[in-house]
Amino acid sequence: MSKHLTTLALMIALIWSTAAVTIAYASPLPQDPRPSDEGGGSGGGGSDSGGGDSADSGSAASRCALVEGEVIHWGVGAMGGIGSKLSTGSWEVDATSSSNGTYSFGGLGTGIATLQVVLPPAMDDSLDPLIQNAGVYLNCDYTTVANIAVYSGSRVDPPATLEMSGPSALSPGAEIPIKLTVKNTLPNDITNVIVTSLMPAGLTATQVEAAATADENLKIVNGGDDGQLVAVFLDTIPSGAERNVFITVKAVDDQPSSSQKIRQTATLFYRESAADQAWLDFTIGTDDEPAPAAPIAPIVEPISITPTLVIAAEAMTATTTPEATATPQPTQAPTTEPTAEAESEDDFVPPDGLPKTGDIEPEVVVEPPPDMLPVTGRVGFMAEVESYLPLAGVSLTVLILLIFGVRSVRRTDL
């Protein structure tokens, strides 16, 4: 009897140990300990309610600094295989859109980052992203929904657009306002609306304003070596409405001595469609820079022109009188020396038909005196003498013949 009791006790012990091992393996797997937001927890066990709070805080941490969106081939639809990179000066993470076009980044910590679209080499020449190097504000207050559109051909306009305007010139140390306008052309509201602008080197933001927006949603975030970011959370914009954001920017004082050109870019994120970008180019330079020298026109000395005009006027007066034309007067002799001197210098006024310089009015036609023109024939008394030479020769010949004839008759009579 005792042997049977011993056997029964061993069987009961074996069954009990097997059940205990099965229950141990069915319990949840052990988890890595994670510190709480308060900087760690105390030792020992906790209640069920305490375990629930820990799960809620873990879920909140997973939603913090979340960037997600969809890649869209404009006019085609969702597109997979497009890369995106989120980076700062100290870290970067990469993601590739899935077959339905979605991608996401999470748990990155708060601060400033830059979102860059990375196209595959085979598509680099045929597609362009609608946004590039967009500033992103990583925070735990709201999620950044960055829908990326790629397109081919001319740039497309998404249904919600961003416009940027302001002066194109800025002096070192001066402040100017920049206006950003968000327009919603969708038949429905757009939500989770965010406007960011990453300040370029040489430009700082001093103030940001937006109507009907709480102060906690207007941020100027200094990222140290990563730069400065303006982030505005506009939440919801109704259909057909527009909202304005004003950013006051200032050029740093220690600018180079010569002017330089910089570009400020702003990005619009919203949930319903593709993100958009706008930019503005600035010229930053000092106010006391010398203006470029104007071209110097040729200078004509009036001293050389005045005697020529006087000589030409005297020549015109002399040609109106018959005596001056037939026999030059002694008073005209001094005019030949200035004329010859004028011809030997570069200030001689050319005849009509040649290019002229100076301030001579078009209606005044200056003609040089007759003695300045090249002589191609004989004029005056010599011309008249030469016109009578043939007649004088004939008369002389007839006279000689008559003399010889008379002498011949006298000899015959003798």
Side-chain angles (χ1 to χ4, degrees):
M1 182 70 179
S2 60
K3 183 183 293 186
H4 290 290
L5 290 174
T6 302
T7 303
L8 181 59
L10 291 174
M11 292 178 63
I12 291 174
L14 180 63
I15 294 172
W16 181 259
S17 62
T18 305
V21 171
T22 305
I23 293 172
Y25 277 103
S27 63
L29 294 175
Q31 301 292 322
D32 294 333
R34 295 178 182 269
S36 64
D37 294 339
E38 290 76 19
S42 60
S47 64
D48 293 341
S49 61
D53 293 341
S54 177
D56 291 342
S57 63
S59 177
S62 65
R63 292 193 302 267
C64 188
L66 180 63
V67 179
E68 62 183 8
E70 181 179 356
V71 179
I72 307 167
H73 189 178
W74 196 262
V76 178
M79 187 173 187
I82 302 298
S84 55
K85 181 172 67 175
L86 200 64
S87 63
T88 67
S90 57
W91 58 263
E92 68 176 38
V93 289
D94 300 306
T96 303
S97 60
S98 61
S99 58
N100 61 355
T102 59
Y103 75 98
S104 65
F105 300 98
L108 303 175
T110 59
I112 295 174
T114 301
L115 178 62
Q116 183 179 4
V117 181
V118 183
L119 296 174
M123 302 178 183
D124 195 21
D125 295 334
S126 58
L127 294 177
D128 292 305
L130 195 59
I131 64 171
Q132 190 62 279
N133 299 323
V136 175
Y137 177 42
L138 302 174
N139 65 94
C140 298
D141 298 329
Y142 51 83
T143 298
T144 299
V145 181
N147 296 319
I148 301 171
V150 294
Y151 64 94
S152 59
S154 58
R155 195 175 191 275
V156 298
D157 292 326
T161 59
L162 178 65
E163 298 177 358
M164 192 173 187
S165 60
S168 59
L170 181 60
S171 300
E175 293 184 349
I176 59 172
I178 303 300
K179 180 181 178 182
L180 302 174
T181 303
V182 181
K183 295 182 179 180
N184 177 21
T185 60
L186 282 170
N188 52 273
D189 298 349
I190 56 175
T191 59
N192 210 83
V193 181
I194 305 169
V195 176
T196 65
S197 181
L198 189 61
M199 294 293 106
L203 205 63
T204 59
T206 60
Q207 187 178 5
V208 57
E209 299 175 295
T213 303
D215 292 340
E216 59 267 19
N217 292 329
L218 304 173
K219 302 284 187 179
I220 298 179
V221 185
N222 292 315
D225 294 338
D226 295 325
Q228 186 187 51
L229 179 75
V230 175
V232 179
F233 180 64
L234 298 175
D235 195 7
T236 302
I237 298 180
S239 173
E242 65 179 48
R243 297 282 295 275
N244 295 321
V245 176
F246 296 92
I247 304 174
T248 303
V249 298
K250 177 182 178 180
V252 296
D253 296 328
D254 54 345
Q255 290 290 332
S257 57
S258 60
S259 61
Q260 62 171 339
K261 292 184 179 296
I262 61 174
R263 169 172 290 187
Q264 180 184 355
T265 302
T267 307
L268 167 66
F269 300 109
Y270 58 103
R271 187 178 298 276
E272 283 69 26
S273 188
D276 192 23
Q277 267 185 337
W279 52 86
L280 188 62
D281 293 327
F282 292 97
T283 300
I284 300 180
T286 56
D287 291 333
D288 55 354
E289 291 182 0
I296 301 175
I299 300 177
V300 179
E301 295 292 339
I303 299 175
S304 300
I305 297 176
T306 304
T308 307
L309 292 175
V310 174
I311 294 168
E314 292 179 357
M316 293 175 62
T317 305
T319 54
T320 56
T321 59
E323 294 79 9
T325 304
T327 304
Q329 298 297 326
T331 57
Q332 293 179 343
T335 61
T336 58
E337 294 180 1
T339 304
E341 181 182 358
E343 289 177 354
S344 62
E345 297 178 354
D346 295 336
D347 299 325
F348 171 68
V349 179
D352 293 339
L354 296 179
K356 298 182 177 63
T357 58
D359 300 330
I360 302 176
E361 297 183 358
E363 61 270 11
V364 178
V365 179
V366 180
E367 296 181 358
D371 53 354
M372 293 177 61
L373 298 176
V375 178
T376 57
R378 299 181 181 272
V379 295
F381 176 75
M382 293 301 298
E384 294 179 1
V385 172
E386 289 183 357
S387 63
Y388 289 107
L389 284 178
L391 182 59
V394 174
S395 301
L396 182 59
T397 304
V398 173
L399 180 59
I400 294 173
L401 293 176
L402 289 176
I403 292 173
F404 277 101
V406 172
R407 292 181 63 183
S408 300
V409 172
R410 288 180 177 178
R411 288 177 182 179
T412 305
D413 294 339
L414 296 175

